[in-house]
Amino acid sequence: MRLQIKNIRIVDPSQNKDSVEDLFIENGKIVSNLTDAANRIVDGRGKIAVPGLIDVHAHLREPGHEGKETIKTGTRAAAKGGITTVFCMPNTKPVIDNAPTVEFILLKAQKEGAINVFPIGCATKGSNGEELSEIGVLKKAGIVAISDDGLPVSNSQIMRRTLEYTKMFKLPVISHSEDKELSRNGVMNEGRNSMILGLRGIPRQAEEVMVSRDIMLAELTRGYLHIAHVSTQGSVELVRQAKKKGINVTAETCPHYFTLTDDVVKVYDANTKMNPPLREKRDVEAIKAGLADGTIDCIATDHAPHTQEEKNREFDLTPFGIIGFETMLSLILNELVASKILSLNEAIAKITVNPAKIFNLEDRGSLKTGSIADITIIDMEYSYEFTKESIISKSKNSPFIGRKFTGGAVMTIVGGNIVYER
Amino acid sequence: MSLNRKDLLGLEHLDKKDFQTVLDSVKPFKSLFTRSVKKAPTLIGKTVVTLFYEPSTRTRTSFEIAAKRLSADVVNISVSASSVVKGESLIDTGKTLEAMKADYIIIRHSMAGTPDILARNLSASIINAGDGFHEHPTQGLLDLYTMYEKKKRIEGLKILLVGDILHSRVAKSNIWALTKMGAEVAVAGPPTLIPPQIEGLGVKVHYNLDEAIKEADVVNILRIQLERQQENLFPSVHEYVELYQLTKERLAKAKSGVMVMHPGPMNRGIEISSDVADSQNAVINEQVTNGIAVRMAVLYLLKPTKVKKNASSN
């Protein structure tokens, strides 16, 4: 397959490139020129080519929870959102703490997936937080990071060992930072709104004490720590200070944390229930500041599909999480780029070159000649309303249903093949 | 006269005019109680369902009597908590009741927001009879009416709520109604039972009941839930009694005409001593009587048919 995209604005943070050129793809790679006539020529005028988006935090739910999402449906939804690579979290059933499960996911992704899927392995066996999982075996099977996401590694000694042991594999340890005692029974942010609504709150400190602990352990061990779904002002500041001290720490946040506050919980809408919970204005501002000054390295979806039946319940009983694949890019463009929190180049870096570097994905996150041809084509003029009917994900749990966007993905190319085209 | 709304989910969204409307409406219903025939034909042909996911003899019976005195047909449903845990859908239950042509659904649930969820999905009038730690609006209204009836005013009254404010649905409904009507509201209890940021609702916070009681015109004592001790929210019932029980000695420190209220059921000897509960200062039985008249007024003032289906209420 030889593909030529003509006259397209290429924005590639890995090369600091922003220029209108032709883009050539052959044998799944970016090339400087085609060896023969293109099989397809795409008119790129008015559009932007960026490296394929990398989402380092998602739940594909397969194996075990196929009613919510599968590798097939999830990767198609991701492709529609311009995502070419997704990391899937290990809280499946069974959990990803063994090589056969890793192999199953990779095989399934190869057979049915629309985009690249990289599994994340459990930090501890069964995600029980008690014994290290066979991290070396998991790495050999194909994981790109380890985490007990959904749960913290509550035992500080186990977390210390995890950070130490993983150094030899150069595997980042992704911290789901939550003190489960402080967050116990909580269903939303603790504050004025939780008091008025009569819902049990989760204080910011439930996140921050664990971010703080894990940073200290990263300092002790010189292990590689990546903080997942940062949601509070305090966490941003802790990561900022840790980076200043030279500790090996990186961080991600999710679009909902720079877009929404807990005001949207007010009508007990289950699509606003997530963990960590939506916080307050000062947290949203701090997250934006953290993105702007580089404290927060990546933006990830934390795509967490749940069925309508599960979300259509009493707020206390409904599970945490929202879907995110199909809105991530548009939220970044609307909330961060249009409002000049980040330049387009800086925003794209958060979902391409930065995650590629942190998680050691060679040949991805870049449009350099020789890189794998994972490409996202963006149309900044593309206006649409995000409707329930338009959602490709198997689950429809999004607080952004009904929102109007300007700017989004119009074509997604994975390994040189067009996997989504509007 | 009407509240111009389909549902009563809480008092947060009612304004001074709404509260005055309720206060003005209660008296004629209460006067009905003194007649030999205690019924009015107001809701004849209407069906009122009480849907209680949590046991409550007092509130359910009060609503039932109120609805019957308005000539409605009343159906009482008690849903065991276990069926919720088993996954029975609240909305499906509500839709079944609606299919049976329920005009009013009065719901009590241990989880906050359940009346709001029903109200969004049903065209029947939803009345919140207590949801989690959120609100208990008719209790708030009956407390308001009782104070208004006895003290002849609300504006300028100094009201002290004592006890477990954090988990109290009554406290929140009281705070919304009383502050909007111009009363000065204070709360007293251990810091672990007082929600952070409650000052943001215009409420004064006291930890020392002996100090706080001096100013009060009305002391509203809330029931202490003994399981809170298991949660380490206070060290022992003994210590709670020492610090926060409303005793005769404590009451003596208050103004002479201080009024004592309790939404019931009371833990005699824990949050309130028996002699105070039975004293002339206490209006606990009047609260119960007023509860029926207030609930009649609410049923009368809500307009189930005037708001289109799925309209945002509150």
Side-chain angles (χ1 to χ4, degrees):
Chain A
M1 174 78 171
R2 286 180 299 276
L3 185 62
Q4 181 177 4
I5 305 171
K6 291 183 82 170
N7 300 313
I8 194 154
R9 180 180 164 199
I10 298 174
V11 173
D12 181 5
S14 76
Q15 308 176 72
N16 223 0
K17 185 183 218 177
D18 188 344
S19 55
V20 176
E21 293 173 30
D22 281 10
L23 196 55
F24 301 102
I25 297 134
E26 188 165 342
N27 294 328
K29 299 248 170 128
I30 312 274
V31 292
S32 53
N33 259 310
L34 298 176
T35 54
D36 208 339
N39 302 99
R40 182 167 171 194
I41 296 171
V42 174
D43 182 4
R45 274 177 301 181
K47 301 191 176 65
I48 302 166
V50 301
L53 312 186
I54 301 168
D55 178 7
V56 299
H57 191 141
H59 301 269
L60 292 177
R61 303 295 189 209
E62 189 175 8
H65 300 287
E66 290 83 354
K68 298 170 191 261
E69 193 80 279
T70 62
I71 289 169
K72 186 176 178 176
T73 59
T75 54
R76 273 160 186 73
K80 186 187 156 208
I83 296 161
T84 58
T85 295
V86 63
F87 293 6
C88 58
M89 281 294 174
N91 54 345
T92 47
K93 199 176 175 183
V95 294
I96 311 176
D97 67 350
N98 58 84
T101 308
V102 176
E103 284 155 10
F104 166 82
I105 289 163
L106 291 172
L107 193 67
K108 198 88 174 165
Q110 198 181 22
K111 275 175 70 179
E112 298 177 2
I115 64 166
N116 308 299
V117 176
F118 291 139
I120 292 168
C122 290
T124 64
K125 285 176 191 162
S127 269
N128 288 331
E130 288 164 8
E131 282 178 85
L132 290 187
S133 57
E134 292 179 336
I135 294 166
V137 173
L138 290 169
K139 160 89 175 173
K140 209 169 167 190
I143 62 160
V144 287
I146 64 156
S147 180
D148 279 351
D149 185 63
L151 295 167
V153 178
S154 293
N155 181 319
S156 302
Q157 180 73 313
I158 299 289
M159 189 61 176
R160 174 197 173 150
R161 298 294 179 227
T162 307
L163 283 160
E164 275 173 344
Y165 189 73
T166 45
K167 283 198 292 182
M168 67 174 151
F169 306 114
K170 293 193 166 55
L171 275 175
V173 178
I174 302 175
S175 164
H176 171 108
S177 306
E178 178 184 358
D179 182 317
K180 294 293 275 185
E181 289 299 319
L182 277 174
S183 66
R184 190 156 55 156
N185 297 327
V187 294
M188 70 172 293
N189 179 55
E190 181 176 309
R192 181 184 160 88
N193 283 329
S194 67
M195 172 189 62
I196 290 172
L197 292 169
L199 293 170
R200 284 186 195 265
I202 300 174
R204 292 175 177 83
Q205 287 75 7
E207 175 174 317
E208 292 160 4
V209 294
M210 289 297 262
V211 170
S212 178
R213 181 203 72 169
D214 287 349
I215 285 170
M216 287 179 183
L217 294 175
E219 184 177 27
L220 172 71
T221 59
R222 298 189 179 188
Y224 193 88
L225 176 69
H226 178 78
I227 308 286
H229 41 53
V230 168
S231 77
T232 77
Q233 184 183 27
S235 295
V236 174
E237 188 52 31
L238 285 163
V239 173
R240 186 177 284 130
Q241 294 308 322
K243 283 187 167 181
K244 273 187 194 159
K245 281 175 80 177
I247 298 167
N248 269 338
V249 59
T250 54
E252 76 195 27
T253 191
C254 309
H256 36 278
Y257 299 123
F258 59 69
T259 307
L260 302 173
T261 67
D262 68 355
D263 283 345
V264 296
V265 184
K266 272 185 182 167
V267 290
Y268 300 95
D269 177 1
N271 288 335
T272 62
K273 181 177 171 180
M274 52 208 76
N275 189 19
L278 295 172
R279 306 289 183 181
E280 293 174 35
K281 197 172 172 219
R282 66 181 160 107
D283 301 289
V284 171
E285 295 306 318
I287 300 273
K288 286 179 178 170
L291 283 163
D293 71 7
T295 301
I296 300 176
D297 309 85
C298 309
I299 298 167
T301 60
D302 196 3
H303 179 81
H306 294 293
T307 64
Q308 194 101 350
E309 292 74 29
E310 289 172 299
K311 278 289 189 184
N312 213 5
R313 303 194 65 190
E314 293 87 335
F315 197 85
D316 279 314
L317 296 177
T318 191
F320 290 101
I322 61 164
I323 56 168
F325 287 152
E326 293 163 71
T327 48
M328 176 177 75
L329 178 59
S330 291
L331 284 166
I332 291 170
L333 296 175
N334 285 254
E335 298 290 329
L336 301 176
V337 179
S339 56
K340 302 196 187 307
I341 305 291
L342 298 177
S343 67
L344 181 62
N345 189 71
E346 287 166 337
I348 296 302
K350 306 279 183 196
I351 40 178
T352 57
V353 63
N354 292 3
K357 273 187 191 160
I358 292 165
F359 294 95
N360 309 306
L361 301 186
E362 289 170 17
D363 303 334
R364 293 190 200 274
S366 172
L367 296 177
K368 275 182 203 157
T369 300
S371 297
I372 294 168
D374 290 350
I375 304 161
T376 302
I377 310 287
I378 297 170
D379 183 348
M380 297 295 264
E381 307 297 319
Y382 167 37
S383 290
Y384 68 101
E385 184 177 340
F386 185 62
T387 62
K388 201 171 188 177
E389 295 69 36
S390 69
I391 294 172
I392 287 187
S393 252
K394 208 166 182 179
S395 294
K396 318 290 175 199
N397 49 313
S398 169
F400 299 112
I401 290 170
R403 189 168 175 143
K404 293 188 172 94
F405 292 107
T406 301
V410 291
M411 184 182 279
T412 307
I413 300 166
V414 176
N417 298 312
I418 298 168
V419 295
Y420 168 76
E421 188 171 7
R422 188 175 67 84
Chain B
M1 218 167 7
S2 113
L3 280 175
N4 200 25
R5 61 187 57 231
K6 167 177 146 313
D7 311 297
L8 181 65
L9 306 177
L11 300 186
E12 182 191 354
H13 301 285
L14 265 58
D15 58 23
K16 200 170 175 176
K17 197 168 139 267
D18 295 326
F19 290 119
Q20 197 57 53
T21 301
V22 175
L23 293 176
D24 294 343
S25 307
V26 177
K27 210 172 172 184
F29 287 114
K30 198 175 173 187
S31 68
L32 201 66
F33 297 2
T34 56
R35 298 187 201 161
S36 59
V37 178
K38 299 182 183 63
K39 277 193 138 179
T42 318
L43 295 187
I44 202 156
K46 301 282 184 193
T47 303
V48 174
V49 176
T50 65
L51 179 63
F52 274 49
Y53 285 80
E54 211 182 55
S56 163
T57 312
R58 179 181 301 254
T59 304
R60 195 192 55 70
T61 310
S62 180
F63 269 112
E64 183 177 353
I65 294 172
K68 282 181 171 167
R69 285 190 181 165
L70 293 175
S71 305
D73 297 316
V74 184
V75 180
N76 296 314
I77 301 174
S78 297
V79 189
S80 70
S82 65
S83 64
V84 179
V85 177
K86 282 177 189 165
E88 188 172 272
S89 156
L90 171 84
I91 293 171
D92 283 347
T93 307
K95 289 202 164 161
T96 304
L97 296 175
E98 190 161 71
M100 293 174 177
K101 306 299 174 200
D103 298 290
Y104 297 83
I105 298 174
I106 295 155
I107 179 170
R108 166 165 288 198
H109 203 293
S110 60
M111 293 167 200
T114 47
D116 299 62
I117 295 168
L118 274 192
R120 271 208 303 276
N121 286 280
L122 304 179
S123 56
S125 264
I126 308 299
I127 299 173
N128 179 4
D131 62 328
F133 312 142
H134 178 218
E135 283 214 49
H136 192 350
T138 55
Q139 181 71 44
L141 291 172
L142 80 87
D143 288 348
L144 181 76
Y145 182 78
T146 307
M147 291 179 215
Y148 184 67
E149 187 183 47
K150 296 277 173 194
K151 298 281 183 187
K152 311 293 177 208
R153 66 187 171 107
I154 296 295
E155 194 158 358
L157 279 184
K158 293 185 174 173
I159 323 277
L160 179 67
L161 300 164
V162 183
D164 185 356
I165 312 299
L166 182 67
H167 301 98
S168 175
R169 42 177 82 140
V170 177
K172 257 170 243 138
S173 290
N174 266 245
I175 289 167
W176 289 122
L178 293 165
T179 53
K180 284 180 188 179
M181 290 299 282
E184 288 177 37
V185 181
V187 297
T192 46
L193 293 180
I194 292 179
Q197 302 194 30
I198 197 162
E199 293 94 336
L201 302 185
V203 170
K204 223 170 159 182
V205 174
H206 297 278
Y207 303 130
N208 185 328
L209 179 57
D210 295 284
E211 286 299 315
I213 204 165
K214 289 178 187 165
E215 294 287 307
D217 296 303
V218 178
V219 184
N220 197 356
I221 304 291
L222 303 174
R223 191 165 71 90
I224 201 78
Q225 293 182 16
L226 300 177
E227 67 265 28
R228 303 295 171 214
Q229 196 198 322
Q230 308 305 317
E231 293 176 46
N232 272 314
L233 290 168
F234 58 91
S236 70
V237 172
H238 171 252
E239 180 156 313
Y240 187 85
V241 167
E242 284 286 311
L243 297 172
Y244 294 106
Q245 185 185 91
L246 187 63
T247 58
K248 220 173 170 178
E249 293 70 35
R250 282 208 166 99
L251 198 62
K253 293 176 185 165
K255 295 177 190 169
S256 61
V258 66
M259 192 164 103
V260 175
M261 302 178 79
H262 193 302
M266 284 183 284
N267 292 310
R268 283 176 182 260
I270 297 182
E271 69 264 5
I272 188 165
S273 69
S274 260
D275 49 7
V276 171
D278 299 330
S279 71
Q280 285 195 336
N281 299 77
V283 293
I284 297 163
N285 288 332
E286 279 109 313
Q287 285 176 268
V288 177
T289 305
N290 287 341
I292 296 170
V294 164
R295 288 174 177 122
M296 287 169 81
V298 166
L299 285 164
Y300 166 73
L301 291 169
L302 293 178
K303 295 293 170 226
T305 53
K306 286 202 172 172
V307 181
K308 66 177 182 181
K309 194 173 178 179
N310 291 336
S312 165
S313 44
N314 226 338

